[in-house]
Amino acid sequence: MISEQTSQAVQDYLKAIHRLGGAQAVVTPVAIAARLGVRAPAVTAMQKRLAEAGWIEYESGMGARLTERGVAEARRVIRRHRLVELFLTRVLGLDWSEVDAEAEALEHAVSPRLEQAMAAHLGEPLEDPHGHPIPTRDGTLAHRQLQRLSHFRAGQRVIIREAQDDNPERLRRWQTLGLTPGAIVDIVSYQPLDDLFEVHVGDQVIPLGSEGLEGLLGELVFDQPG
């Protein structure tokens, strides 16, 4: 039981470091602690263990960067997490606002055989329900140059690519408004003093502040609509 818990903790740390950019750069202990909701001393102790095991490169007071081995393991866990999310939505019919928490619990229990069975059943999918790329079986992860929707301005047309998945209430709100991956959004106007956007999606124009768009990532379709 102890080894299982340790294994899960290692996986959680590696996944967190990867999501914070630790495959390419050093991630600070403060950022890791905030991501995992733990105290800084716990992060320091775990970083030493991960470094000793060869999962990360670590210097005291500087932070952590994943080794090649650490990247491979992190992406293995991320792949299983995102496959589980897609399986839960597409096959079992769960709402996209529910599946992140369920996948967090299930990702550690999925065997390689079950992982591949799910991937085959789903048609070797490229993205999870929130638009995040799913690492391939060999650990390749697509990289996209995306921006926050709140960084775009009036006159620009944007396609939503990803939605942050850790806030169920916000996910339900975005779904109601049609602000989901694949949706085309026209930035109608922006009032900087009020921090208020008007965005056209579907057949409606929606007023939203930056906070309402926070967590949505996209890219330009073209600079000027029409």
Side-chain angles (χ1 to χ4, degrees), residues 32-209:
I32 298 170
R35 178 82 191 188
L36 292 172
V38 298
R39 296 173 63 86
V43 173
T44 300
M46 178 58 83
Q47 284 182 139
K48 292 177 181 178
R49 291 174 53 194
L50 295 176
E52 290 170 359
W55 297 116
I56 65 170
E57 298 171 354
Y58 166 70
E59 291 185 27
S60 180
M62 297 295 293
R65 179 172 180 164
L66 295 171
T67 61
E68 184 176 339
R69 179 178 179 229
V71 170
E73 178 65 11
R75 291 183 180 176
R76 186 182 71 83
V77 180
I78 291 169
R79 171 175 167 82
R80 292 183 177 181
H81 180 99
R82 293 177 179 176
L83 283 171
V84 169
E85 286 190 330
L86 192 59
F87 186 86
L88 292 175
T89 55
R90 188 180 293 178
V91 178
L92 300 186
L94 271 65
D95 189 80
W96 79 327
S97 66
E98 304 174 286
V99 295
D100 180 61
E102 297 291 348
E104 285 288 339
L106 293 171
E107 65 190 28
H108 304 293
V110 174
S111 68
R113 182 180 180 184
L114 180 55
E115 172 194 320
Q116 284 312 112
M118 285 193 299
H121 181 81
L122 295 167
E124 295 294 340
L126 300 178
E127 297 179 353
D128 72 9
H130 310 101
H132 302 126
I134 297 174
T136 64
R137 188 176 183 179
D138 66 6
T140 301
L141 182 62
H143 292 283
R144 298 182 291 206
Q145 297 297 320
L146 304 179
Q147 296 186 65
R148 297 177 182 179
L149 254 66
S150 58
H151 286 183
F152 296 99
R153 290 296 180 260
Q156 294 182 312
R157 175 168 287 177
V158 182
I159 182 169
I160 297 174
R161 292 298 189 190
E162 297 180 10
Q164 192 171 325
D165 59 7
D166 59 358
N167 188 319
E169 184 177 353
R170 190 164 53 181
L171 285 166
R172 288 190 291 269
R173 172 68 170 160
W174 286 335
Q175 190 167 47
T176 298
L177 297 174
L179 296 171
T180 56
I184 302 295
V185 176
D186 288 314
I187 311 297
V188 177
S189 66
Y190 175 63
Q191 301 297 329
L193 291 179
D194 298 321
D195 186 29
L196 183 66
F197 290 83
E198 284 189 320
V199 299
H200 180 267
V201 57
D203 59 357
Q204 58 184 336
V205 175
I206 306 163
L208 286 168

